[in-house]
Amino acid sequence: MHFKQSGHTAAILVFLALFVTPAAWAAGPAPQSPARPGGPLVTVDFRAVTGDSSPLIDLKVADVTLKVDGREREIRSFELIQSRGKSGGAARAAIPAPFATNALATRRRDTLLVIDDESIQPGAEQTVKLAAEQYLSSLAAGDRAGALTVQGSGINMGLTDQHAAIRSALAGMVGRGRRAEADEDSACRTRRVLDALVSVAGNFPPGGAPVTVLFFSTGLTAPGVATLATMRSNSVSNPTGMCEIQARDYQQLQAAALTSAVNIYVVDAADTSASSLGASNRLQAGLEHLAGVGGNRLIQPIRNGERDIARVVRENSVWYRAAFEPDTAERNGSTHRVELQVKRSGVDVSVRPMVLIPKAGGQAAAAKAPAARDMLREAKGCRDLELRAAAFASREAGTDKIKLVVLFEPVDPAVVLKSAVVGLYDQKGRLTVQGTAEAANLVRKLPTIALLASPGVYRMRVAATDASDRGGTVDTDVTVALTRAEPLQLGSLILGLAEAGSFTGRLTFTTEPLAIGYLEVYGVGKAAQLSASVDVAESEDGPPLVQGSTKIVGEGTDDARVILGGVPIGPFPPGDLLVRLVVSLDGKPVGRAIRTLRKGEGR
């Protein structure tokens, strides 16, 4: 997004000159690191907790021993990842993410609630609802959650940061279980559960942020329990052997989980105050078996005062990512055995027993991505091309619609985009608005697509392809609206830099000394005195860390003004901060605009 020298921007340049030194204007892009000739490093995620499930946050590389296929490996990179949730020792309060991305989300928790509603009797859903509420209440504003029931006609909500929508869906959830379930029926239900969990694992390929799956059920058929003779007793509804559960059925789920980003926890949803399926030792054994497949213990929230759910929250708020470089022969697209130990006493380590090492040159050999316009309509997302995207609202004169400017970019700055489209889906899942990027726009550092949409809440998808025919999609919820600040209205606050004589929007920052905020204000009367202040803080209501200066642009021509706010960011370490711009009319604050600024490591 560029604002060149015309109209308002003549004043913008005067304002920028107060902050930017000649050296900063002349600074060019930093050199990029060369590609690794043998292929990318392979990562191993693990968790380390004390006996009370408190996460360790001070491990060093020297504390960890990593073995793959029995041979110790050098840890080439080591990263502590802390979610922004309310539990787990996060350093400060949660703030919204500055953009949506399909790349690894190192500070966000993703949780999918999978409910075996056919095992829960009508009226006995409270166990699930209480446990789910405790978990949801631990999530930060930017964390995502989703929910689905194994029964196809029940809940089916993808990952979203709209937690109220998840709560509303769960409030209406009704159990579909039978009071007396025959052996063959429980076996067929177990088969549906295992198939559903395999499908869930397939939707989260390895390399992405870990996804916590909380699976709720009152009982499952363990391997070998449903005998062939039992099946034959009801051969009309269940042909012989069709639902017989064997060890390989659970092993298939284990294989799918090992080659995905999911971490499965099994929650016993039995209502101990009433007779239920969970009271059966036979079906309890199935839950225990599934918990072992996931590599975690069986969670029993009611019997332990819901403390087990709290432990899951703590354990999944902090994890580590260790990376090693495999040998050429190991880049074979197969799974390899992993052992990881921490050289401290009293520490429990949770790590996947296997790791998938992709084939050498796997990216080059990948299938050609569909066209961007086709990816816009596919239900499944794509992460072959990692992208960032954000949307900003502004007024469009002469219409009751809102102008939505979408900024997007590849995570790798060396990537050249070939095509890109943006679509908005309404609450009924209908594609209502779409736009396509022009070729000249795609070569910019930060391409943009502008859309006109009616006010409302939408799911936005950005789909793009690059010169290597890789594809990527980013999905996020957006609210298309102006912010009311009576008697004014505010557009979205955009953060950027001064580049080549103009304001240019940015999604990330590194070593820049200054960030510029750009905010459009509407409804300003000619006699009104508009003013503003800007600062940087760690939270919406926290004390300012540094204050900046503002400039009002666009005096007297119409009721629209532009507020520019410059804040020094050079001294801050990498991380997320909030830029807060307060708008005042005749000396009285009437509204404010807030935007998260992400500062990364300089190269």
Side-chain angles (χ1 to χ4, degrees):
M1 174 177 284
H2 297 268
F3 299 87
K4 296 184 178 179
Q5 189 170 359
S6 62
H8 296 337
T9 50
I12 293 177
L13 295 181
V14 175
F15 172 74
L16 297 178
L18 299 176
F19 292 95
V20 185
T21 65
W25 281 86
Q32 303 299 317
S33 301
R36 185 176 300 277
L41 297 176
V42 174
T43 59
V44 175
D45 293 340
F46 71 95
R47 293 167 174 79
V49 298
T50 60
D52 64 352
S53 291
S54 297
L56 293 178
I57 60 173
D58 62 346
L59 288 181
K60 309 298 182 186
V61 174
D63 297 325
V64 179
T65 299
L66 173 65
K67 293 183 179 181
V68 179
D69 291 337
R71 179 160 61 91
E72 187 170 342
R73 306 302 174 99
E74 177 188 1
I75 297 177
R76 301 293 296 273
S77 70
F78 190 74
E79 182 182 10
L80 168 68
I81 303 172
Q82 297 188 69
S83 76
R84 297 172 301 183
K86 302 170 187 175
S87 303
R92 59 177 188 250
I95 60 177
F99 47 76
T101 180
N102 61 353
L104 173 66
T106 59
R107 292 182 174 87
R108 183 184 65 198
R109 276 186 289 192
D110 282 347
T111 303
L112 186 63
L113 311 177
V114 181
I115 303 169
D116 179 16
D117 53 333
E118 290 184 311
S119 75
I120 302 169
Q121 294 179 24
E125 307 89 358
Q126 195 66 8
T127 299
V128 174
K129 295 179 181 180
L130 287 174
E133 173 56 33
Q134 184 183 22
Y135 193 92
L136 289 172
S137 65
S138 76
L139 300 181
D143 293 335
R144 299 188 303 177
L148 63 89
T149 50
V150 175
Q151 177 71 20
S153 59
I155 303 170
N156 186 6
M157 296 190 65
L159 292 173
T160 176
D161 58 7
Q162 302 298 307
H163 302 161
I166 301 295
R167 289 185 169 94
S168 177
L170 291 174
M173 192 270 291
V174 176
R176 301 172 183 270
R178 304 175 184 177
R179 181 167 296 277
E181 185 182 48
D183 288 349
E184 59 268 27
D185 292 331
S186 64
C188 287
R189 175 174 55 80
T190 299
R191 173 63 53 79
R192 290 192 291 274
V193 163
L194 297 177
D195 289 345
L197 291 175
V198 168
S199 178
V200 166
N203 286 330
F204 301 102
V211 177
T212 299
V213 173
L214 292 182
F215 170 69
F216 296 86
S217 178
T218 64
L220 295 173
T221 300
V225 170
T227 65
L228 197 59
T230 301
M231 292 299 178
R232 284 172 178 164
S233 68
N234 192 16
S235 58
V236 175
S237 60
N238 294 311
T240 300
M242 183 181 70
C243 294
E244 185 175 8
I245 302 301
Q246 300 181 3
R248 65 171 178 263
D249 297 311
Y250 283 88
Q251 291 167 357
Q252 288 173 354
L253 172 58
Q254 184 177 47
L258 290 175
T259 55
S260 77
V262 301
N263 183 23
I264 300 175
Y265 286 87
V266 180
V267 183
D268 185 355
D271 180 0
T272 56
S273 64
S275 174
S276 68
L277 293 174
S280 165
N281 290 333
R282 171 178 58 82
L283 295 174
Q284 184 80 8
L287 292 182
E288 295 280 3
H289 195 84
L290 181 59
V293 166
N296 295 301
R297 67 195 174 283
L298 178 64
I299 306 299
Q300 296 175 319
I302 290 298
R303 296 168 202 166
N304 291 323
E306 297 184 0
R307 288 176 295 176
D308 276 355
I309 290 293
R311 287 166 66 97
V312 174
V313 172
R314 291 196 300 272
E315 289 178 6
N316 286 278
S317 64
V318 176
W319 68 94
Y320 289 87
R321 173 155 291 160
F324 69 98
E325 186 167 7
D327 299 334
T328 301
E330 293 174 318
R331 297 185 184 275
N332 54 10
S334 300
T335 55
H336 299 257
R337 181 167 51 90
V338 170
E339 301 169 79
L340 191 143
Q341 295 180 333
V342 172
K343 303 171 187 176
R344 294 189 190 179
S345 60
V347 176
D348 292 329
V349 175
S350 175
V351 63
R352 294 179 181 277
M354 306 288 283
V355 65
L356 175 69
I357 301 180
K359 290 183 178 180
Q363 282 190 336
K368 180 179 178 180
R373 63 178 180 276
D374 294 331
M375 287 191 292
L376 197 64
R377 293 170 171 81
E378 289 184 352
K380 188 174 182 180
C382 180
R383 290 206 301 252
D384 292 338
L385 173 61
E386 294 185 334
L387 301 166
R388 305 184 187 104
F392 303 86
S394 62
R395 188 177 70 177
E396 180 69 7
T399 178
D400 58 355
K401 293 188 176 181
I402 302 295
K403 182 178 181 180
L404 196 70
V405 178
V406 182
L407 280 61
F408 58 96
E409 64 183 358
V411 172
D412 183 352
V415 167
V416 177
L417 294 181
K418 186 172 71 173
S419 66
V421 297
V422 175
L424 297 181
Y425 290 82
D426 65 16
Q427 296 296 287
K428 295 183 179 180
R430 298 175 299 194
L431 179 61
T432 60
V433 183
Q434 70 179 85
T436 303
E438 297 180 356
N441 197 346
L442 292 173
V443 300
R444 294 179 178 176
K445 180 176 177 63
L446 192 63
T448 63
I449 296 177
L451 306 171
L452 290 180
S454 298
V457 178
Y458 298 86
R459 177 175 67 87
M460 181 180 78
R461 167 166 285 194
V462 178
T465 61
D466 67 0
S468 300
D469 286 323
R470 292 181 303 168
T473 58
V474 176
D475 292 278
T476 188
D477 296 319
V478 297
T479 299
V480 178
L482 301 179
T483 300
R484 300 190 67 83
E486 296 294 348
L488 308 177
Q489 289 184 310
L490 310 179
S492 299
L493 177 61
I494 306 172
L495 301 180
L497 302 171
E499 289 186 342
S502 65
F503 171 83
T504 305
R506 284 287 177 270
L507 295 180
T508 60
F509 298 78
T510 53
T511 59
E512 297 85 1
L514 180 79
I516 308 296
Y518 178 102
L519 178 68
E520 294 185 0
V521 181
Y522 316 106
V524 182
K526 293 183 179 181
Q529 184 64 40
L530 184 68
S531 61
S533 63
V534 65
D535 62 30
V536 173
E538 290 185 335
S539 64
E540 287 195 17
D541 300 314
L545 301 176
V546 65
Q547 293 182 327
S549 298
T550 60
K551 173 74 174 181
I552 310 296
V553 181
E555 306 287 344
T557 57
D558 53 26
D559 71 341
R561 303 288 186 273
V562 172
I563 299 177
L564 297 169
V567 288
I569 61 172
F572 293 114
D576 285 1
L577 296 165
L578 285 181
V579 176
R580 306 181 300 190
L581 198 154
V582 177
V583 179
S584 297
L585 199 61
D586 296 328
K588 180 182 178 181
V590 294
R592 68 175 180 173
I594 299 176
R595 175 66 58 176
T596 301
L597 181 149
R598 176 160 298 175
K599 185 175 181 182
E601 297 280 359
R603 292 177 180 265

